[in-house]
Amino acid sequence: MSNKTQRDEKNFNQAALDYHKAEPKGKIEVIPSKPHSSQRDLSLAYSPGVAVPCMEIHHNPETVYDYTGKGNLVAVISNGTAVLGLGDIGAEASKPVMEGKGLLFKIFADINVFDIEIDEKDPDKFIQIVKGIAPTFGGINLEDIKAPEAFYIEQKLKEELDIPLMHDDQHGTAIISAAALINALQIANKNIEEVKMVVNGAGAAAVACTNLYISLGLKRENVLMCDSKGVINHKRENLTPEKIDFVAQTDLETLEDALKGSDVFIGLSKGNVMTPDMLSSMAENPIVFALANPDPEIAYDLAMATRKDVIMATGRSDYPNQVNNVLGFPYIFRGALDVQAKGINEEMKLAAVHAIANLAKEPVPEAVILAYNVQNLQFGREYFIPKPFDNRLITKVSSAVAKAAIDSGIARKTIADFNEYETQLLDRMGRDEKLVRMMQNRAKANPKRITLGNAEEYNVLKAAQILYEEGIAYPILLGDKKYVKEQMERFGINIDVPIIDPSDDDQKENRKKYRETLWKLRQRKGVNEYKAKKFVRQRDYFGPLMLKHGDTDGLIVGFSKNYVSTLRPVLEVIEKEKGVEKVAAMMMILSE
């Protein structure tokens, strides 16, 4: 390890400690959600008023969802036996991770969380504790529990509880990687029923992933699963029940042997176990999901240098195609909670898989591209999984999960209008977004022609792209046509919108019309016909004259000039109303 790498790691480690130590302690907090400023508020919140809903729930237990926060409260529960890549570090040491999971639930899906760390390794005792506290919650997210106990714990709790419950280390990774696999196979032009897959790792995540792939059509006989001792074949003894399900009738014994001619590699093990030679031995267009963190089974750059045709995903955010559980669990629980589902079944998981896979194929909103500071995102080898900050996930995935719960008969309540439900989901994510969305929806209902000056500028082109892609307006680009086209090509902006160049030959008739208008407006104010002819070749005048003649509905100018010089030609063409002495502007600031 170089000195620079050591310094960077030391700085990051200290930053992580400082982040968690800063006041207020912890990453989540409880805040009042009802009025509490008067004595009457307090008497309603607690004694004596609280007795009324208590008795309502006593007489009709289902009304607990009406009178309490249970329906939007998830428990994140762990015993700390398999924390991230840290292993069995104990319940108390797992608390920062569980608080972090709570933070993700809240910011991505507006779900409240209590993190609960249970100091109990006996699976039956652990199950009893969770069952005992379950009435508090609308759902339970099990986290960082080691295999094979994790399988037993989840299965027993699913049998005995009637609320959504999921061990995210198993099913979260399975759902996201399954969505990625669907799309990677499409890019590779391969059929899931025919591919040969090698799974390295045989823990909770590996078993759950493989079982879900089989639900999608993967043939069990086409899977070779490896653990730390090699291929799980018919020669192996003392296997757990989960591993027995994946015993292969083969004499192959090592990962290296298994990979020869294979189509797909799923790594859920440890870093750097796949060599370039192993990758080279795989079939054409190999699919490699190296999901070990922080070090993948084969480094991304090394894999790319070894084979140009590799289709790769990792668990890291600094490389394309991150298999990140946050793409799934907040929205799966959101949909399940909103229909008061009695569990999370296979139909709901598969609905999430297909919703995530399909979203990656849709045009990426400009807001997502800007959030990740990239030029463009298009479905292909470097983008076949949605990005975590894609705000469409909450509507697409939650709606799909809720619908699957209803259709499979596991939901206590139904959703009559899914369009309205999607609006409600977006409203949960904040008042500022709601205000902008209201304005956007009003614009989308009757889109106008909006001319943007300074169209050669990157930010102006990006704004035009957002207006165009989201249907907010019909943008018109005003500028040097040749240069505007060069900039669009340079930045990968491909939108079919008019480009108006005031000096272009195709604007000859407009220039004549605009010249006469400008001369008549300003002939006693210092503008003669010669000046008018000269001014209409300038965008500062051409844009306002388009507006004056109704050739555009709106004009956005001033990106690269000061306010006064931008406004002067506008006011010379678009005159003030009678009796108006001053022109004013309004600025809107969005905050909490």
Side-chain angles (χ1 to χ4, degrees), residues 421-553:
Y421 175 57
E422 289 188 7
T423 300
Q424 292 170 3
L425 289 171
L426 292 171
D427 286 347
R428 301 189 78 106
M429 303 320 294
R431 285 188 292 268
D432 53 349
E433 288 192 13
K434 182 179 179 182
L435 176 60
V436 172
R437 199 163 54 253
M438 287 171 60
M439 294 163 63
Q440 288 177 341
N441 289 341
R442 185 172 179 180
K444 289 176 183 179
N446 185 19
K448 302 293 186 182
R449 299 164 300 167
I450 302 296
T451 297
L452 290 86
N454 303 104
E456 302 89 348
E457 298 285 350
Y458 172 76
N459 285 343
V460 175
L461 287 171
K462 284 294 185 183
Q465 187 175 27
I466 294 171
L467 295 175
Y468 176 82
E469 289 181 350
E470 298 189 12
I472 296 169
Y474 302 119
I476 300 170
L477 301 176
L478 182 61
D480 183 322
K481 183 180 286 187
K482 181 181 177 183
Y483 189 38
V484 170
K485 287 183 175 180
E486 288 175 357
Q487 292 291 85
M488 290 175 74
E489 186 174 349
R490 175 187 173 193
F491 296 123
I493 296 173
N494 184 20
I495 52 176
D496 183 19
V497 299
I499 303 173
I500 304 296
D501 186 339
S503 299
D504 212 17
D505 287 343
D506 62 11
Q507 295 301 315
K508 192 173 183 180
E509 288 302 314
N510 279 336
R511 282 199 302 271
K512 181 179 178 181
K513 180 174 61 174
Y514 295 168
R515 182 176 74 239
E516 291 175 1
T517 299
L518 183 60
W519 178 57
K520 287 177 182 177
L521 284 169
R522 309 299 297 174
Q523 61 183 331
R524 297 185 183 278
K525 299 175 184 176
V527 175
N528 55 29
E529 282 194 85
Y530 171 76
K531 283 186 176 180
K533 186 176 181 179
K534 177 183 175 183
F535 286 164
V536 295
R537 288 180 173 270
Q538 299 172 13
R539 69 188 73 177
D540 291 351
Y541 283 90
F542 198 93
L545 285 161
M546 288 175 67
L547 192 59
K548 179 78 173 178
H549 279 267
D551 295 330
T552 187
D553 301 309

Side-chain angles (χ1 to χ4, degrees), residues 18-301:
D18 293 343
Y19 172 88
H20 285 84
K21 194 174 183 180
E23 295 291 345
K25 296 293 192 296
K27 294 192 282 287
I28 52 178
E29 65 178 350
V30 177
I31 58 172
S33 59
K34 293 288 192 293
H36 52 278
S37 57
S38 68
Q39 179 59 40
R40 186 172 187 277
D41 290 338
L42 297 181
S43 67
L44 288 171
Y46 198 55
S47 182
V50 76
V52 182
C54 286
M55 293 310 298
E56 287 290 322
I57 297 168
H58 174 67
H59 294 308
N60 184 2
E62 291 298 313
T63 60
V64 68
Y65 289 98
D66 298 323
Y67 297 118
T68 76
K70 171 173 177 161
N72 195 43
L73 182 62
V74 165
V76 174
I77 302 179
S78 180
N79 62 2
T81 53
V83 179
L84 295 174
L86 305 174
D88 185 353
I89 60 174
E92 206 159 17
S94 75
K95 187 170 176 63
V97 179
M98 303 312 126
E99 286 185 352
K101 196 67 176 281
L103 181 147
L104 297 177
F105 265 111
K106 187 64 178 178
I107 65 173
F108 284 108
D110 190 35
I111 294 173
N112 297 322
V113 165
F114 292 157
D115 65 289
I116 298 174
E117 294 74 37
I118 299 174
D119 188 14
E120 181 56 72
K121 294 183 180 181
D122 181 287
D124 288 309
K125 291 180 179 178
F126 184 91
I127 289 166
Q128 286 304 117
I129 294 169
V130 175
K131 281 178 58 181
I133 62 174
T136 307
F137 302 100
I140 293 174
N141 181 103
L142 298 174
E143 193 81 12
D144 293 352
I145 302 168
K146 74 181 180 72
E149 290 91 334
F151 301 112
Y152 174 70
I153 289 170
E154 186 195 42
Q155 185 57 42
K156 292 295 288 184
L157 286 171
K158 284 175 69 174
E159 291 171 2
E160 299 188 33
L161 297 177
D162 63 350
I163 57 176
L165 180 141
M166 187 171 79
H167 184 211
D168 189 47
D169 301 305
Q170 294 182 55
H171 305 294
T173 304
I175 288 164
I176 311 310
S177 64
L181 180 62
I182 289 172
N183 289 344
L185 287 169
Q186 180 179 330
I187 294 165
N189 196 26
K190 295 184 179 184
N191 190 328
I192 193 169
E193 296 178 354
E194 299 171 356
V195 296
K196 295 179 179 179
M197 177 182 289
V198 176
V199 179
N200 197 54
V207 170
C209 286
T210 312
N211 282 328
L212 190 57
Y213 305 157
I214 290 170
S215 298
L216 293 170
L218 177 69
K219 293 289 196 305
R220 190 179 291 268
E221 60 266 27
N222 289 343
V223 178
L224 290 177
M225 184 175 285
C226 304
D227 59 14
S228 59
K229 296 177 182 177
V231 176
I232 299 173
N233 62 21
H234 64 282
K235 300 177 184 178
R236 297 279 300 274
E237 297 178 349
N238 301 319
L239 296 170
T240 63
E242 292 74 29
K243 291 183 182 182
I244 289 173
D245 285 343
F246 294 99
V247 168
Q249 298 298 315
T250 179
D251 291 327
L252 299 175
E253 294 190 349
T254 67
L255 176 61
E256 183 177 8
D257 294 336
L259 281 169
K260 290 174 182 175
S262 64
D263 298 287
V264 182
F265 170 78
I266 306 293
L268 293 152
S269 51
K270 61 181 182 179
N272 304 311
V273 296
M274 176 188 256
T275 66
D277 286 343
M278 292 181 191
L279 175 57
S280 297
S281 73
M282 293 180 70
E284 183 182 358
N285 286 321
I287 295 168
V288 174
F289 290 1
L291 305 182
N293 256 330
D295 299 316
E297 281 79 2
I298 182 169
Y300 180 85
D301 293 336

Side-chain angles (χ1 to χ4, degrees), residues 338-366:
D338 289 339
V339 295
Q340 295 172 16
K342 297 177 183 178
I344 296 175
N345 59 20
E346 290 304 306
E347 291 89 342
M348 294 161 73
K349 294 174 196 171
L350 288 171
V353 169
H354 291 293
I356 295 165
N358 291 336
L359 183 57
K361 298 171 189 174
E362 295 184 12
V364 181
E366 190 59 26

